Amino acid sequence: MVEPLRKRHANGSLYQRRANVERELEELEKLTLPQILARARAGEHSGNTTVSSEALVYFLRHEARTGGSHGAGVDGLVSILMERAERTLRRHISDAFDEFQREEICGEVMDGLVDDITDTGDRGDYAEVNFNDWLAHNRDDACRKALRRAKRSERLGDEVDDLAEVDDALPGRREEPKHPASAEPTPEAGAALAEAREKARLPHQIEAGEFSPEDQYRIAAAVKQANLDPNVLEAFLLHHYWDVPIDSKEPEKHTLRKHFGVSEKTVRNWLRRAEEAFAKLKGETDERKKDEGNGPELGAAGIPR
């Protein structure tokens, strides 16, 4: 007997497979797993789909629930489903993404595909209803993440440029040798960086980020000038650059309120303080540059919301 789906719609009704999929599953349940695999492979070789993707998902999930998630039959079905999914993904990822981004998006979806499907809960039920649409939702999620990463990289690049402008304008600053992003700092520069980090109390998001030692020094100098508490600075970075929301109605979602164990009001106050401190610092730098005759504008945008 074909197992019913368990996931429910918002109105309380159970998900339902298409009628042709139900009929297919009733027929395939009379076969052994190796026989199902042989039928599916024959279809792949002839170019005719003889076992639907929804049916492949059903049997893989059934094996996972009953503890038979290993063996040649299961591995063969996984291989067929993965090949189909990858072909579909590559056809439908927008040309607006470059080759690297397309590979990253495809890899992100494919890496999580089997785990999502074989989860013993009801998370993968919709894949049995309409596999290609389920895959499209995962693709769209990965595309949105790729866009956020691209925007975050652009913001971080602008931010480093801004902080370089601020650091250049700090009174008494002397020029230090420039180091490429991949270079290790000299012992003297390393000591200066360590001191700057300690004084600025940088959160790990900066120290673990993809910044050169020179950029980290500049950020530390600007952060020290802004005089922000570590939690305030960390909340600002998590929210604006890592897209962590203040709060969420989704229980499993990571939020700033959960991260710090404080109220939503406290988090919002922290963000406001950081924004005001950086805006003030940038304004003071702009005024200093005007007085020096360098024009009214900084080269890059201000610290973004």
Side-chain angles (χ1 to χ4, degrees):
M1 179 179 176
V2 178
E3 296 178 25
L5 296 169
R6 293 171 292 174
K7 191 172 180 62
R8 295 182 180 274
H9 294 282
N11 63 8
S13 63
L14 284 170
Y15 277 33
Q16 296 291 326
R17 303 180 188 94
R18 297 193 302 274
N20 62 313
V21 174
E22 287 284 355
R23 289 193 296 269
E24 179 186 14
L25 292 177
E26 289 173 1
E27 179 185 350
L28 290 174
E29 280 216 320
K30 300 171 186 175
L31 307 178
T32 65
L33 203 62
Q35 289 173 327
I36 295 170
L37 175 59
R39 178 181 292 196
R41 280 178 172 165
E44 297 300 298
H45 291 155
S46 66
N48 298 313
T49 301
T50 51
V51 177
S52 69
S53 296
E54 288 80 8
L56 293 177
V57 172
Y58 171 83
F59 286 106
L60 289 174
R61 299 186 73 211
H62 174 77
E63 291 299 308
R65 284 194 293 268
T66 57
S69 55
H70 299 285
V74 169
D75 292 344
L77 295 182
V78 168
S79 177
I80 291 172
L81 188 64
M82 293 282 280
E83 288 173 5
R84 287 185 190 176
E86 187 167 359
R87 287 197 302 269
T88 301
L89 277 172
R90 292 189 182 281
R91 284 200 306 269
H92 292 96
I93 297 175
S94 170
D95 291 336
F97 294 101
D98 62 31
E99 184 177 352
F100 175 80
Q101 289 172 315
R102 291 167 66 84
E103 288 298 322
E104 193 175 44
I105 291 165
C106 188
E108 184 170 336
V109 175
M110 296 302 295
D111 286 347
L113 187 141
V114 174
D115 286 342
D116 285 347
I117 284 174
T118 56
D119 183 273
T120 55
D122 60 8
R123 189 169 62 180
D125 274 20
Y126 187 60
E128 292 185 39
V129 175
N130 188 333
F131 179 76
N132 282 343
D133 193 51
W134 177 85
L135 187 66
H137 283 295
N138 288 351
R139 179 201 68 214
D140 291 345
D141 285 344
C143 287
R144 281 191 288 270
K145 289 178 183 177
L147 286 173
R148 286 200 297 268
R149 283 194 295 267
K151 290 178 181 177
R152 185 168 67 231
S153 295
E154 182 179 349
R155 290 201 306 264
L156 284 169
D158 286 346
E159 185 59 20
V160 168
D161 288 343
D162 269 353
L163 292 174
E165 296 269 3
V166 170
D167 191 44
D168 286 339
L170 292 176
R173 181 184 184 274
R174 57 187 177 85
E175 291 296 322
E176 297 287 349
K178 303 295 184 183
H179 297 283
S182 60
E184 290 296 323
T186 63
E188 294 79 9
L193 173 58
E195 183 181 359
R197 282 174 173 169
E198 184 178 352
K199 289 182 177 178
R201 293 178 294 178
L202 291 181
H204 68 87
Q205 280 81 7
I206 285 291
E207 296 192 32
E210 295 179 358
F211 296 105
S212 69
E214 181 187 13
D215 288 337
Q216 290 191 43
Y217 183 91
R218 289 171 171 171
I219 294 169
V223 166
K224 186 172 184 299
Q225 288 291 107
N227 194 27
L228 294 172
D229 292 333
N231 281 353
V232 175
L233 177 61
E234 184 177 2
F236 177 86
L237 292 169
L238 287 171
H239 185 58
H240 288 281
Y241 299 143
W242 278 267
D243 297 318
V244 178
I246 296 172
D247 203 358
S248 174
K249 293 181 180 178
E250 301 175 31
E252 70 282 0
K253 199 170 186 67
H254 184 61
T255 66
L256 295 179
R257 189 178 62 78
K258 291 178 185 175
H259 183 82
F260 293 102
V262 297
S263 68
E264 179 182 344
K265 182 178 180 181
T266 296
V267 174
R268 292 189 182 280
N269 284 338
W270 286 354
L271 295 178
R272 178 178 50 78
R273 282 169 55 193
E275 290 159 4
E276 289 175 352
F278 282 122
K280 180 181 178 183
L281 182 60
K282 182 175 180 298
E284 290 174 352
T285 304
D286 287 345
E287 287 300 316
R288 191 179 299 117
K289 291 182 73 66
K290 285 181 188 178
D291 293 341
E292 293 170 357
N294 291 332
E297 299 289 340
L298 282 176
I303 290 186
R305 290 287 316 251

